[in-house]
């Protein structure tokens, strides 16, 4: 339920109209998004009814995506990573495309994302802070060579145990994604915090705002309008000036 003083919108067309007006009225807008931004592109999220946390695997997804599991069960880790975390066929949806358009028009200063799919860049966004890294960068832990997601999917780099190895030095290749038990990149985090602190409009979309430290970035916002676009409630709803409970891709159809 919306708090007193909060504008609540449930119709996607009304949300799109309101977002257009807000972006037109502000000069330093920032978008902060999560997994819900990419569900319209066919990439499953984690916590919804159809998300990964509601599917059955040999180990819980949060275990398989942990640093310790990567270290102790590398073959199982890469099987899950390759099959569930890389979606090379996914295409940017209306939300991704509109955000890139807003940036080109000078109406959006930055995108801060928890997603690792690279769809914001594919849509054309240039200033993107990837809090949790990207599947499109896979780095040799010995020599630093970087390999694209396509080579991880093709399995051409794997040894007999199913573990990707660097052809140049034989080192293990690790996805440049932030696993559970790992810290966010300091430079990326600092850039995201600075962008949010400088924003006069912050639009938060497609995230339940329960994964920290990313969810805590909202506290750095000092601007005049906070918008949350999410199908379900979040712990930060009481702080929002505008709550939009609708499909995020449709909300950006303006």
């Amino acid at each position: 339920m919306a708090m007193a003083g909060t504008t609540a919108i449930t119709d996607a067309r009304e949300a799109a109209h309101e977002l257009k007006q807000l972006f037109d009225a502000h000069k330093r807008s920032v978008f902060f998004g999560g997994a819900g931004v990419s569900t319209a592109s066919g990439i499953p999220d984690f916590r919804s009814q159809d998300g990964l946390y509601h599917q059955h695997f040999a180990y819980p997804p949060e275990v398989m995506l942990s640093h310790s599991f990567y270290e102790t069960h590398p073959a199982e880790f890469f099987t899950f990573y390759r099959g569930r975390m890389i979606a090379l066929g996914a295409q940017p949806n209306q939300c991704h495309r509109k955000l890139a358009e807003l940036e080109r028009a000078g109406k959006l200063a930055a995108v801060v994302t928890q997603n690792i799919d690279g769809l914001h860049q594919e849509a054309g966004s240039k200033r993107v802070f990837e809090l949790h890294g990207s599947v499109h960068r896979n780095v040799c832990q010995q020599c630093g060579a970087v390999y694209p997601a396509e080579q991880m999917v093709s399995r051409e780099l794997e040894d007999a145990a199913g573990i990707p190895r660097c052809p140049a030095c034989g080192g293990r290749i690790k996805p440049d994604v932030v696993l559970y038990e790992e810290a966010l990149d300091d430079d990326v985090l600092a850039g995201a915090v600075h962008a949010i602190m400088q924003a006069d409009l912050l639009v938060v979309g497609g995230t339940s705002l329960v994964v920290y430290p990313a969810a805590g970035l909202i506290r750095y916002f000092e601007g005049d309008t906070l918008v949350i676009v999410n199908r379900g409630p979040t712990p930060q709803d009481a702080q929002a000036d505008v709550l939009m409970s609708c499909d995020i891709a449709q909300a950006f159809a303006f």
Side-chain angles (χ1 to χ4, degrees):
M1 179 178 295
M3 302 294 289
T6 299
T7 299
I9 298 174
T10 58
D11 180 76
R13 288 174 296 181
E14 184 181 349
H17 177 74
E18 180 70 14
L19 281 175
K20 183 181 186 306
Q21 289 189 316
L22 287 169
F23 278 109
D24 286 344
H26 291 82
K27 297 181 178 180
R28 298 183 307 280
S29 302
V30 169
F31 178 82
F32 172 43
V37 174
S38 293
T39 53
S41 296
I43 298 177
D45 61 8
F46 284 83
R47 291 172 175 79
S48 70
Q49 191 59 42
D50 298 320
L52 290 177
Y53 284 174
H54 291 274
Q55 299 178 30
H56 297 287
F57 303 100
Y59 302 89
E62 59 267 37
V63 172
M64 289 189 285
L65 292 174
S66 68
H67 180 83
S68 56
F69 193 84
Y70 161 79
E71 292 288 354
T72 58
H73 298 75
E76 291 94 334
F77 169 86
F78 281 107
T79 296
F80 182 79
Y81 171 74
R82 188 175 55 247
R84 297 289 178 168
M85 305 309 294
I86 302 177
L88 294 181
Q91 297 296 316
N93 60 54
Q94 177 60 30
C95 180
H96 297 108
R97 294 191 296 269
K98 178 56 70 172
L99 290 169
E101 178 186 317
L102 290 167
E103 182 184 28
R104 289 193 297 270
K107 296 181 179 181
L108 183 71
V111 170
V112 178
T113 181
Q114 295 171 275
N115 296 336
I116 60 175
D117 50 48
L119 291 180
H120 285 294
Q121 289 92 331
E122 188 172 341
S125 291
K126 302 299 183 184
R127 193 169 186 231
V128 182
F129 295 99
E130 297 176 307
L131 295 175
H132 296 155
S134 172
V135 299
H136 295 283
R137 299 183 300 270
N138 299 274
V139 184
C140 173
Q141 300 301 283
Q142 187 163 300
C143 73
V146 180
Y147 298 91
E150 288 80 2
Q151 285 187 284
M152 302 296 285
V153 172
S154 69
R155 307 182 69 165
E156 63 186 88
L157 301 173
E158 291 183 0
D159 61 17
I163 302 170
R165 296 283 180 182
C166 176
C169 71
R172 183 190 291 184
I173 299 171
K174 180 182 181 295
D176 188 18
V177 299
V178 179
L179 303 176
Y180 287 103
E181 305 167 353
E182 294 180 345
L184 302 187
D185 180 273
D186 287 339
D187 291 337
V188 174
L189 182 58
V193 168
H194 180 73
I196 290 172
M197 289 181 67
Q198 295 298 310
D200 55 5
L201 168 67
L202 178 62
V203 179
V204 179
T207 172
S208 56
L209 292 174
V210 296
V211 177
Y212 282 82
L217 294 184
I218 290 182
R219 72 178 185 271
Y220 293 103
F221 178 60
E222 300 175 349
D224 59 67
T225 307
L226 171 63
V227 181
I228 296 180
V229 189
N230 199 56
R231 284 188 178 277
T234 81
Q236 303 292 335
D237 285 357
Q239 309 303 317
D241 298 291
V242 185
L243 280 178
M244 299 179 176
S245 303
C246 60
D247 179 89
I248 191 168
Q250 295 178 16
F252 275 84
F254 60 86

